[in-house]
């Protein structure tokens, strides 16, 4: 028989993402509206081990839906990667009466959730990462805001790039996943997109493309570079030397993690937070919430962590066709 | 055997929507990249009848992806609703060598596309409307931008509403479809959402809710009112009289139709424009492009026009649970 | 000899304005850094009379500089317009040890400050109003944010106005002062600006201007209408009837009062809050802070309230010359 | 007797700045409204020497007031720094009938304008630079937009900085002038501001300040670093090593040069463009337009170039007092 849940804990873990506050608010209020108690755990698994835990009321999450960051803070926790740390985590949950736990974070955070579930704490993961690099879901909290932040910044770089008839290399986040780069590439009408998923990086091809584009009358050349592909500043120097076109590099950096969440991030994060509480109330554990094929759904964490995600070849091809 | 297409025409029709320019750009460039010619038809079906038609090059659509509105302009056209008008439209297409046509607009515009298809002009519709009220697709061009514009405006109203501890009624667009209202309702943490799809509008219930919320310590009361539900200003006067809480109405109006498109609107509109050209190139006609179950797809226009769309009861229920 | 101040009170009064939080934060932190105590008075003079007063620490104003509205709330207070109310206000100040008071608001709020000063409470006014209608100063808190909010909304209306080749009437705030209308008129490239300060409102002239502009190839016609000049919706109907150009009215409303303050509003409000504390620390009373001729300065409240402000004829003439 | 002007040329030179388009539009339309002809010179002095010159109509500047960058493009021009280049520039002006010239740019561009004036071409400079580093004026085109762009980006970095309880170093533009850094420092509530104008840069003091702030309960530590003070990334590594607080560097870069101009930049740039035409029409030459003591005015270029600008000590002191 499914365990009956009385008190839900909620924490955010790993890199923060805009919309996490909307998810926290949804967990708190949906749980309260179902007659459950809710406790906020501060600073991720770290705060769990340190017992930084507080009761949450409906008013504690007033006015947070529009704010970036996470009111519960977040941190990495080496200790929680050990069996001892995990055992202590489960113990702290029991001590505080937390029989259901919602973990908002990425794959690393879900690995922790999996361990707690195995130790008898009913646990549900919600995908929160700006990188969209979680295989079981088409939506992760923060991606939509991050990609709009990056796009708006690149629009601005493009203005000055055009005025000076310059080449601009803009480095966006996403070390292992090129979604931000691919979306910005299309949305900003970039001439080239460098993705970790494509193994065809060839600087000479890039240089030839710049030279051809100038001949076709293009006033600038925008290259979107996913973090980790190469060193943008030295790439800029080599390109300028080879093409004679003034070339500048911009690394957007941590601003992509912040800001008031977009409507999609607020709404979908709210739905996922609410959905996670429903799962716990039904006695489910070791599940991760996803959005797939147009609806909210859930997956076994073990299966979710085993899935692979690839980037859309079709989108990449379209980006190429539209950059003429 | 499928007709081979040589020249594609493109027009925007009905109310404009942010992202239409991204779709136009995609149609033009994807067609050129496939070796086709492209002609822009200005001011919708009106411009078709008046032969306001120009050749489009890749440079003609430079720098438009980030702009609101439609560079092809749009208009209503009574004459095109008559069989004579439609016959002349098909004739003008033939005169200008347009054997494939992309129509970006809403259901009314697709009805025109259907007629042209029946008259032998291969025609594809792309859903462009901020109202999201096209049944065959989960995405329509402009909704994402409109809902973010509305949400950001409501965030601002909420600031002043809180400072004055006021009730605010905010009227958003969507006469026949409450999606903008429902999304904003969740994203802005509104206390009440009035939707055309819900028949339970009861001012006394609303008033009771306001009085209860004040008791629970809420500093403001936000009501999102979908256009057409009721007269916001007189509703405000009645609510103020009944609750003693200062109440103000704001009608967001046409600003919701404009503005630089969001990343989703730029990317999805680009994908749809590209997809429409692929359909024409494959000899397809009388189809409308859609986004469903996580992928771009297409439907017969006749079937698409016959589909019904309903608002998500689950989302509405969540909005209620989270407004405590 | 100047009275030595030990405890400063701060309140916001009248309509809220973005930047008020920056001023509150500056008053609190500048006072603390000078070794003074600070008390926040909630809901304006109303809260003074009701003794809604709390000690403020540096942490109480953390993270508020970027927020719209006022964390101290604001309200109108009929009782404080009576000599009895004012006497009680001074008494409450004394009871709570408040010997210096900073009042952030408009002319009406300064009239209250004047009375408290006469009753022996050292009082300094800071101009906070989006309308810029305070004669002694070229800057008031909130104007810069409000005018940018209005301008961005009008940019969006303009997109759709152009796409439909429409005339748009946009009503902005400023019942007695046309600064928002004049600035937006220039910044949005409006064809006509209707100001309370100009007595030449002549609908026939407006109509003739629209007809001429269409002939000159203009794709839209934007009219900025300061609140109170006329009823925008009926004006739109008459103009459409007379010109045959589709005409729509938008009333921007309360969104102009909210939103995260601009850099100017955050910086200048911070400077004014700091300056007000310096004045109190020097034993000054019955002064209002102003920005004039490129520097922060202060005026006697009595003199400040007697000054007249007129709108710049030169700016108005330039707006006309540039709308061709 | 003052030379009568018939044809005005206009060019943008040096780094681009948001609002330059508003100034171009104002020059064009004000000149046309005074019965003068106007010619646009593309790519700064470079385009003058290459005779990239076109007639401008009122419609050529439609819809540009809201756009970043400069529709006339801009470039550096080594040749124009030589007497031969300057002589040829004056000759090209005469050949094209340009008897008055408006140069929008910074001090370097004004030095060129000075030479042309000496060679008999009536020339007026308009200060266009995001750095605010022109001594004769309190306003330069683009500063207000740039500082708001930087501030909004820093607000986002701050969100994630707070969530992770991190120290963030954010490098803003302004190699020789710390205005952007100082304004952002106040507007973003930064804990430390590093300015080129202050010679007290002392990393140990910075480190001590971080340690003290943590003790006082601050959840993040924001350092605004004006470009050129030091290498942000290595500074971050040293600070992290010394304080144990996770520290990240962000270089905002070229996005600060672009974007739709703010209301102030649109309005003031329009006023300055209009004012420059008035000066030429009155027969003035070798003048630069300024904004000082609350009004638009003009200075002799020779005198303007000799003036010195210092940063406000008072603002810097306030920034310190408010960062507690």
């Amino acid at each position: 028989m499914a365990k009956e849940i009385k008190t839900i804990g909620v924490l955010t873990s790993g890199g923060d993402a805009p919309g996490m506050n909307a998810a926290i608010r949804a967990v708190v209020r949906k749980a309260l509206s179902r007659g459950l108690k809710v406790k906020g755990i501060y600073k991720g698994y770290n705060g769990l081990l340190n017992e930084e835990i507080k009761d949450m009321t409906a008013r504690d999450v007033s006015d947070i839906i529009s704010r970036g960051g996470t009111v519960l803070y977040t941190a990495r926790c080496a200790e929680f990667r050990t069996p001892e740390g995990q055992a202590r985590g489960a113990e702290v949950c029991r001590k505080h009466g937390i029989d259901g736990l919602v973990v908002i974070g990425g794959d690393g955070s879900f690995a922790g959730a999996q361990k707690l579930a195995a130790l008898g704490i009913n646990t549900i993961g919600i995908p929160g990462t700006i990188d969209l690099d979680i295989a079981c879901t088409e939506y992760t909290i923060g991606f939509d805001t991050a990609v709009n932040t990056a796009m708006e910044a690149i629009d601005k770089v493009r203005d000055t790039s055009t005025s000076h008839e310059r080449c601009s290399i803009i480095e966006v986040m996403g070390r292992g996943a090129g979604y931000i780069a691919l979306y910005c590439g299309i949305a900003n009408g970039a001439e080239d997109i460098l993705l970790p998923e494509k193994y065809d990086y060839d600087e000479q091809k890039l240089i030839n493309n710049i030279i051809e584009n100038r001949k076709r009358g293009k006033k600038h050349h925008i290259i979107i570079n996913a973090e980790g592909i190469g060193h943008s500043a030295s790439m800029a120097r080599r390109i300028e030397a080879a093409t004679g076109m003034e070339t500048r590099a911009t690394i957007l950096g941590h601003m992509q993690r912040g800001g008031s969440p977009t409507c999609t991030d607020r709404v979908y994060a709210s739905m996922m937070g609410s959905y996670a509480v429903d799962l716990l109330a039904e006695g489910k554990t070791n599940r991760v919430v996803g959005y797939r094929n147009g609806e909210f759904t859930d997956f076994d964490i073990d299966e979710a962590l085993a899935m692979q995600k690839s980037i859309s070849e079709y989108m990449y091809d379209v980006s190429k066709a539209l950059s003429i």
Side-chain angles (χ1 to χ4, degrees), chain A:
Chain A
M1 207 198 79
K3 189 168 81 172
E4 201 196 334
I5 297 293
K6 287 191 185 138
T7 300
I8 287 180
V10 55
L11 62 81
T12 48
S13 166
D16 65 329
M20 281 185 165
N21 283 329
I24 294 166
R25 174 180 174 272
V27 168
V28 170
R29 293 198 172 174
K30 186 64 180 291
L32 293 173
S33 79
R34 293 192 69 139
L36 305 170
K37 287 183 64 180
V38 197
K39 300 198 174 193
I41 300 161
Y42 287 74
K43 301 182 197 169
Y45 292 118
N46 224 33
L48 178 64
L49 298 184
N50 297 334
E51 301 186 46
E52 299 186 57
I53 299 172
K54 287 190 206 157
D55 288 348
M56 303 288 278
T57 70
R59 286 295 72 71
D60 288 330
V61 292
S62 287
D63 285 322
I64 70 168
I65 195 168
S66 61
R67 299 223 204 118
T70 157
V71 295
L72 293 178
Y73 302 91
T74 182
R76 283 185 240 127
C77 184
E79 190 186 346
F80 201 73
R81 285 197 213 102
T82 65
E84 295 72 29
Q86 292 151 10
R88 256 205 5 95
E91 204 181 304
V92 173
C93 284
R94 270 185 270 272
K95 177 176 163 192
H96 288 265
I98 295 172
D99 36 25
L101 180 69
V102 178
V103 171
I104 307 168
D107 278 347
S109 310
F110 296 161
Q114 202 180 23
K115 306 302 179 188
L116 283 174
L119 292 162
I121 308 301
N122 282 12
T123 308
I124 306 292
I126 293 180
T129 159
I130 64 165
D131 290 340
L132 198 62
D133 59 348
I134 296 180
C136 69
T137 183
E138 294 158 13
Y139 168 82
T140 63
I141 295 173
F143 173 73
D144 192 58
T145 305
V147 87
N148 276 288
T149 297
M151 179 191 81
E152 288 171 18
I154 299 168
D155 275 348
K156 292 185 211 290
V157 175
R158 188 176 159 139
D159 283 342
T160 183
S161 196
T162 304
S163 297
H164 288 268
E165 298 182 278
R166 223 177 239 161
C167 174
S168 290
I169 302 175
I170 298 134
E171 191 172 316
V172 298
M173 280 192 161
R175 189 171 298 276
Y179 297 98
I180 295 179
L182 180 57
Y183 271 69
C184 286
I186 297 177
N188 293 107
E191 276 68 29
D192 281 292
I193 311 175
L194 309 181
L195 300 176
E197 290 87 352
K198 307 295 297 182
Y199 306 108
D200 62 354
Y201 175 51
D202 176 344
E203 205 158 284
Q204 192 53 49
K205 234 171 89 181
L206 205 62
I207 287 165
N208 295 344
N209 197 18
I210 292 168
I211 293 167
E212 273 171 50
N213 270 325
R214 289 218 88 176
K215 284 187 202 152
R216 294 216 305 274
K218 290 224 165 192
K219 294 297 189 189
H220 58 241
H221 194 98
I222 304 286
I223 301 167
I224 309 294
N225 184 23
E227 193 187 3
I229 296 288
H231 188 265
S232 298
S234 46
M235 206 185 277
R237 280 189 292 271
R238 290 193 303 269
I239 287 173
E240 180 163 324
T243 63
M245 191 174 191
E246 200 183 22
T247 304
R248 293 284 178 275
T250 297
I251 299 167
L252 294 184
H254 280 83
M255 61 175 285
Q256 293 165 86
R257 292 206 167 283
S260 181
T262 58
C263 191
T264 291
D265 272 327
R266 297 189 197 180
V267 171
Y268 281 42
S270 295
M271 296 302 295
M272 284 186 160
S274 175
Y275 192 100
V277 171
D278 287 341
L279 289 176
L280 285 174
E282 291 161 15
K284 300 277 177 62
T285 184
N286 203 48
R287 308 290 296 174
V288 55
V289 179
Y291 182 81
R292 217 177 194 183
N293 296 340
E295 59 183 18
F296 294 97
T297 179
D298 55 289
F299 298 89
D300 184 88
I301 292 187
D302 310 11
E303 289 170 25
L305 289 175
M307 293 181 193
Q308 297 292 325
K309 191 165 198 167
S310 58
I311 206 137
S312 162
E313 287 294 323
Y314 182 54
M315 282 183 70
Y316 185 69
D317 291 345
V318 169
S319 81
K320 284 283 155 209
L322 303 190
S323 71
I324 59 171

